[in-house]
Short mmCIF file of all heavy atoms in Angstrom, two decimals:
data_model
loop_
_atom_site.label_atom_id
_atom_site.label_comp_id
_atom_site.label_asym_id
_atom_site.label_seq_id
_atom_site.Cartn_x
_atom_site.Cartn_y
_atom_site.Cartn_z
N ALA A 139 -100.58 58.86 -47.98
CA ALA A 139 -101.28 58.83 -46.69
C ALA A 139 -100.63 57.89 -45.69
O ALA A 139 -100.94 57.96 -44.49
CB ALA A 139 -102.74 58.43 -46.90
N GLY A 140 -99.77 57.01 -46.14
CA GLY A 140 -99.13 56.07 -45.22
C GLY A 140 -98.37 55.01 -45.99
O GLY A 140 -98.51 54.87 -47.21
N ALA A 141 -97.55 54.25 -45.26
CA ALA A 141 -96.79 53.15 -45.86
C ALA A 141 -96.82 51.97 -44.89
O ALA A 141 -96.72 52.14 -43.67
CB ALA A 141 -95.35 53.57 -46.15
N ILE A 142 -96.98 50.77 -45.46
CA ILE A 142 -97.03 49.54 -44.67
C ILE A 142 -95.98 48.58 -45.22
O ILE A 142 -95.94 48.31 -46.43
CB ILE A 142 -98.42 48.89 -44.73
CG1 ILE A 142 -99.49 49.86 -44.20
CG2 ILE A 142 -98.45 47.59 -43.93
CD1 ILE A 142 -100.91 49.34 -44.34
N LEU A 143 -95.11 48.08 -44.35
CA LEU A 143 -94.09 47.10 -44.73
C LEU A 143 -94.51 45.74 -44.21
O LEU A 143 -94.77 45.60 -43.01
CB LEU A 143 -92.73 47.48 -44.17
CG LEU A 143 -92.19 48.89 -44.45
CD1 LEU A 143 -90.79 49.04 -43.88
CD2 LEU A 143 -92.20 49.19 -45.94
N VAL A 144 -94.57 44.76 -45.08
CA VAL A 144 -94.82 43.37 -44.68
C VAL A 144 -93.50 42.64 -44.81
O VAL A 144 -93.05 42.32 -45.91
CB VAL A 144 -95.91 42.71 -45.55
CG1 VAL A 144 -96.19 41.30 -45.07
CG2 VAL A 144 -97.18 43.55 -45.54
N THR A 145 -92.83 42.38 -43.71
CA THR A 145 -91.46 41.87 -43.73
C THR A 145 -91.19 41.07 -42.47
O THR A 145 -91.99 41.09 -41.51
CB THR A 145 -90.46 43.04 -43.86
OG1 THR A 145 -89.12 42.53 -43.81
CG2 THR A 145 -90.65 44.04 -42.74
N ASP A 146 -90.04 40.37 -42.46
CA ASP A 146 -89.62 39.66 -41.25
C ASP A 146 -88.74 40.52 -40.35
O ASP A 146 -88.23 40.04 -39.34
CB ASP A 146 -88.87 38.38 -41.63
CG ASP A 146 -87.71 38.64 -42.58
OD1 ASP A 146 -87.37 39.81 -42.81
OD2 ASP A 146 -87.13 37.66 -43.09
N GLY A 147 -88.54 41.78 -40.74
CA GLY A 147 -87.74 42.68 -39.92
C GLY A 147 -86.27 42.66 -40.25
O GLY A 147 -85.51 43.48 -39.73
N VAL A 148 -85.83 41.74 -41.12
CA VAL A 148 -84.42 41.68 -41.53
C VAL A 148 -84.26 42.61 -42.72
O VAL A 148 -84.42 42.20 -43.87
CB VAL A 148 -83.99 40.24 -41.87
CG1 VAL A 148 -82.52 40.20 -42.22
CG2 VAL A 148 -84.29 39.31 -40.71
N VAL A 149 -83.98 43.88 -42.44
CA VAL A 149 -83.90 44.92 -43.46
C VAL A 149 -82.53 45.58 -43.35
O VAL A 149 -82.05 45.86 -42.23
CB VAL A 149 -85.02 45.96 -43.30
CG1 VAL A 149 -84.94 47.02 -44.39
CG2 VAL A 149 -86.38 45.27 -43.32
N HIS A 150 -81.89 45.85 -44.49
CA HIS A 150 -80.52 46.33 -44.48
C HIS A 150 -80.35 47.75 -45.02
O HIS A 150 -79.21 48.19 -45.22
CB HIS A 150 -79.63 45.38 -45.29
CG HIS A 150 -79.65 43.97 -44.78
ND1 HIS A 150 -80.39 42.97 -45.36
CD2 HIS A 150 -79.03 43.40 -43.72
CE1 HIS A 150 -80.21 41.84 -44.70
NE2 HIS A 150 -79.40 42.07 -43.70
N ASP A 151 -81.43 48.48 -45.28
CA ASP A 151 -81.29 49.86 -45.74
C ASP A 151 -82.21 50.79 -44.96
O ASP A 151 -82.85 51.68 -45.53
CB ASP A 151 -81.57 49.97 -47.25
CG ASP A 151 -83.02 49.64 -47.61
OD1 ASP A 151 -83.68 48.97 -46.79
OD2 ASP A 151 -83.47 50.05 -48.69
#
Side-chain angles (χ1 to χ4, degrees):
I142 301 175
L143 307 183
V144 183
T145 177
D146 54 9
V148 183
V149 182
H150 301 101
D151 65 340

